[in-house]
Short mmCIF file of all heavy atoms in Angstrom, two decimals:
data_model
loop_
_atom_site.label_atom_id
_atom_site.label_comp_id
_atom_site.label_asym_id
_atom_site.label_seq_id
_atom_site.Cartn_x
_atom_site.Cartn_y
_atom_site.Cartn_z
N SER A 318 -48.00 68.50 -54.52
CA SER A 318 -48.28 67.49 -55.53
C SER A 318 -48.27 68.07 -56.93
O SER A 318 -48.08 67.35 -57.91
CB SER A 318 -49.63 66.82 -55.25
OG SER A 318 -50.68 67.78 -55.32
N SER A 319 -48.47 69.39 -57.04
CA SER A 319 -48.46 70.03 -58.35
C SER A 319 -47.11 70.65 -58.70
O SER A 319 -46.95 71.25 -59.76
CB SER A 319 -49.55 71.11 -58.41
OG SER A 319 -49.30 72.12 -57.43
N SER A 320 -46.13 70.50 -57.81
CA SER A 320 -44.81 71.06 -58.08
C SER A 320 -44.14 70.30 -59.22
O SER A 320 -44.21 69.08 -59.32
CB SER A 320 -43.94 70.97 -56.82
OG SER A 320 -42.60 71.31 -57.11
N SER A 321 -43.48 71.04 -60.11
CA SER A 321 -42.84 70.42 -61.27
C SER A 321 -41.48 69.83 -60.94
O SER A 321 -40.89 69.12 -61.75
CB SER A 321 -42.69 71.46 -62.39
OG SER A 321 -41.89 72.55 -61.94
N ASP A 322 -40.97 70.11 -59.76
CA ASP A 322 -39.63 69.65 -59.38
C ASP A 322 -39.76 68.56 -58.32
O ASP A 322 -39.98 68.85 -57.15
CB ASP A 322 -38.82 70.82 -58.83
CG ASP A 322 -37.38 70.43 -58.51
OD1 ASP A 322 -37.06 69.22 -58.53
OD2 ASP A 322 -36.57 71.33 -58.21
N PRO A 323 -39.60 67.29 -58.71
CA PRO A 323 -39.74 66.21 -57.72
C PRO A 323 -38.66 66.26 -56.65
O PRO A 323 -38.89 65.82 -55.52
CB PRO A 323 -39.63 64.94 -58.57
CG PRO A 323 -38.90 65.36 -59.80
CD PRO A 323 -39.30 66.77 -60.06
N GLY A 324 -37.49 66.77 -56.98
CA GLY A 324 -36.43 66.90 -55.98
C GLY A 324 -36.81 67.86 -54.88
O GLY A 324 -36.58 67.59 -53.70
N TYR A 325 -37.39 68.99 -55.26
CA TYR A 325 -37.82 69.97 -54.26
C TYR A 325 -38.92 69.39 -53.39
O TYR A 325 -38.94 69.60 -52.17
CB TYR A 325 -38.30 71.25 -54.95
CG TYR A 325 -38.72 72.33 -53.98
CD1 TYR A 325 -37.77 73.17 -53.41
CD2 TYR A 325 -40.06 72.50 -53.62
CE1 TYR A 325 -38.14 74.17 -52.51
CE2 TYR A 325 -40.43 73.48 -52.72
CZ TYR A 325 -39.47 74.31 -52.17
OH TYR A 325 -39.83 75.29 -51.27
N ARG A 326 -39.85 68.66 -54.00
CA ARG A 326 -40.92 68.01 -53.22
C ARG A 326 -40.32 67.08 -52.18
O ARG A 326 -40.72 67.07 -51.01
CB ARG A 326 -41.85 67.23 -54.13
CG ARG A 326 -42.70 68.06 -55.04
CD ARG A 326 -43.93 67.29 -55.53
NE ARG A 326 -43.60 66.05 -56.21
CZ ARG A 326 -43.48 65.92 -57.51
NH1 ARG A 326 -43.61 66.98 -58.29
NH2 ARG A 326 -43.22 64.75 -58.07
N ASN A 327 -39.37 66.25 -52.62
CA ASN A 327 -38.70 65.32 -51.71
C ASN A 327 -38.04 66.06 -50.55
O ASN A 327 -38.20 65.69 -49.38
CB ASN A 327 -37.65 64.51 -52.47
CG ASN A 327 -36.84 63.59 -51.59
OD1 ASN A 327 -37.20 62.46 -51.35
ND2 ASN A 327 -35.71 64.08 -51.09
N ASP A 328 -37.31 67.11 -50.88
CA ASP A 328 -36.51 67.80 -49.87
C ASP A 328 -37.38 68.53 -48.85
O ASP A 328 -37.10 68.49 -47.64
CB ASP A 328 -35.56 68.79 -50.55
CG ASP A 328 -34.56 68.10 -51.46
OD1 ASP A 328 -34.41 66.87 -51.35
OD2 ASP A 328 -33.94 68.79 -52.30
N LEU A 329 -38.44 69.18 -49.33
CA LEU A 329 -39.30 69.90 -48.39
C LEU A 329 -40.05 68.93 -47.48
O LEU A 329 -40.16 69.15 -46.27
CB LEU A 329 -40.29 70.78 -49.15
CG LEU A 329 -41.21 71.64 -48.27
CD1 LEU A 329 -40.38 72.59 -47.41
CD2 LEU A 329 -42.19 72.44 -49.12
N LYS A 330 -40.55 67.84 -48.07
CA LYS A 330 -41.26 66.86 -47.25
C LYS A 330 -40.34 66.21 -46.23
O LYS A 330 -40.73 66.01 -45.07
CB LYS A 330 -41.89 65.79 -48.15
CG LYS A 330 -43.06 66.28 -48.98
CD LYS A 330 -43.59 65.17 -49.87
CE LYS A 330 -44.76 65.63 -50.72
NZ LYS A 330 -45.26 64.57 -51.61
N HIS A 331 -39.13 65.87 -46.66
CA HIS A 331 -38.19 65.22 -45.74
C HIS A 331 -37.84 66.16 -44.58
O HIS A 331 -37.79 65.76 -43.42
CB HIS A 331 -36.93 64.80 -46.49
CG HIS A 331 -36.17 63.71 -45.82
ND1 HIS A 331 -35.01 63.18 -46.33
CD2 HIS A 331 -36.38 63.04 -44.66
CE1 HIS A 331 -34.56 62.23 -45.53
NE2 HIS A 331 -35.37 62.14 -44.50
N MET A 332 -37.59 67.42 -44.91
CA MET A 332 -37.33 68.41 -43.87
C MET A 332 -38.50 68.52 -42.91
O MET A 332 -38.35 68.52 -41.69
CB MET A 332 -37.05 69.76 -44.54
CG MET A 332 -36.79 70.93 -43.58
SD MET A 332 -38.28 71.72 -42.91
CE MET A 332 -39.10 72.25 -44.41
N ALA A 333 -39.71 68.57 -43.49
CA ALA A 333 -40.90 68.75 -42.66
C ALA A 333 -41.13 67.59 -41.71
O ALA A 333 -41.46 67.79 -40.54
CB ALA A 333 -42.13 68.95 -43.56
N VAL A 334 -40.95 66.36 -42.19
CA VAL A 334 -41.21 65.21 -41.32
C VAL A 334 -40.12 65.05 -40.26
O VAL A 334 -40.39 64.56 -39.16
CB VAL A 334 -41.39 63.90 -42.13
CG1 VAL A 334 -42.59 63.99 -43.03
CG2 VAL A 334 -40.14 63.53 -42.91
N CYS A 335 -38.88 65.44 -40.58
CA CYS A 335 -37.83 65.39 -39.55
C CYS A 335 -38.16 66.32 -38.39
O CYS A 335 -38.08 65.93 -37.22
CB CYS A 335 -36.47 65.76 -40.16
SG CYS A 335 -35.69 64.48 -41.16
N ILE A 336 -38.56 67.54 -38.71
CA ILE A 336 -38.93 68.48 -37.65
C ILE A 336 -40.18 68.01 -36.93
O ILE A 336 -40.29 68.15 -35.70
CB ILE A 336 -39.13 69.90 -38.24
CG1 ILE A 336 -37.79 70.44 -38.75
CG2 ILE A 336 -39.74 70.84 -37.22
CD1 ILE A 336 -37.87 71.82 -39.36
N GLN A 337 -41.12 67.43 -37.65
CA GLN A 337 -42.33 66.89 -37.03
C GLN A 337 -41.97 65.85 -35.98
O GLN A 337 -42.51 65.86 -34.86
CB GLN A 337 -43.23 66.28 -38.09
CG GLN A 337 -44.55 65.71 -37.55
CD GLN A 337 -45.36 65.02 -38.63
OE1 GLN A 337 -44.81 64.46 -39.58
NE2 GLN A 337 -46.67 65.05 -38.49
N GLY A 338 -41.06 64.95 -36.31
CA GLY A 338 -40.65 63.91 -35.36
C GLY A 338 -39.99 64.49 -34.13
O GLY A 338 -40.24 64.03 -33.00
N LEU A 339 -39.15 65.51 -34.32
CA LEU A 339 -38.46 66.13 -33.18
C LEU A 339 -39.45 66.91 -32.29
O LEU A 339 -39.41 66.79 -31.07
CB LEU A 339 -37.37 67.08 -33.69
CG LEU A 339 -36.22 66.45 -34.49
CD1 LEU A 339 -35.28 67.53 -35.00
CD2 LEU A 339 -35.45 65.44 -33.64
N ALA A 340 -40.32 67.68 -32.92
CA ALA A 340 -41.25 68.52 -32.14
C ALA A 340 -42.27 67.69 -31.38
O ALA A 340 -42.66 68.03 -30.26
CB ALA A 340 -41.96 69.49 -33.08
N ASN A 341 -42.68 66.57 -31.96
CA ASN A 341 -43.73 65.78 -31.33
C ASN A 341 -43.22 64.85 -30.23
O ASN A 341 -44.02 64.15 -29.60
CB ASN A 341 -44.47 64.96 -32.39
CG ASN A 341 -45.40 65.81 -33.24
OD1 ASN A 341 -45.63 66.98 -32.92
ND2 ASN A 341 -45.92 65.25 -34.31
N ARG A 342 -41.94 64.85 -29.98
CA ARG A 342 -41.42 64.05 -28.86
C ARG A 342 -41.92 64.59 -27.53
O ARG A 342 -42.18 63.84 -26.59
CB ARG A 342 -39.88 64.08 -28.85
CG ARG A 342 -39.23 63.14 -29.83
CD ARG A 342 -37.73 63.25 -29.73
NE ARG A 342 -37.07 62.43 -30.73
CZ ARG A 342 -35.80 62.56 -31.08
NH1 ARG A 342 -35.07 63.51 -30.50
NH2 ARG A 342 -35.27 61.77 -31.99
N GLN A 343 -42.03 65.89 -27.41
CA GLN A 343 -42.43 66.50 -26.15
C GLN A 343 -43.93 66.41 -25.92
O GLN A 343 -44.40 66.19 -24.82
CB GLN A 343 -41.99 67.97 -26.13
CG GLN A 343 -40.52 68.18 -26.46
CD GLN A 343 -39.60 67.45 -25.53
OE1 GLN A 343 -39.82 67.41 -24.32
NE2 GLN A 343 -38.54 66.85 -26.07
N ALA A 344 -44.68 66.60 -26.99
CA ALA A 344 -46.15 66.56 -26.93
C ALA A 344 -46.65 66.55 -28.37
O ALA A 344 -45.93 66.97 -29.27
CB ALA A 344 -46.69 67.78 -26.18
#
């Protein structure tokens, strides 16, 4: 939330939630 680059924030969060969705399919 304190990052000065909104694009980087978007990209890291999007990456993180995609992996979260894939990993949580199994358990």
Side-chain angles (χ1 to χ4, degrees):
S318 62
S319 61
S320 171
S321 60
D322 184 350
Y325 182 83
R326 291 201 303 265
N327 176 89
D328 298 345
L329 183 60
K330 289 178 181 179
H331 202 180
M332 178 278 301
V334 297
C335 284
I336 293 180
Q337 182 185 30
L339 297 176
N341 286 350
R342 280 181 184 164
Q343 308 302 319

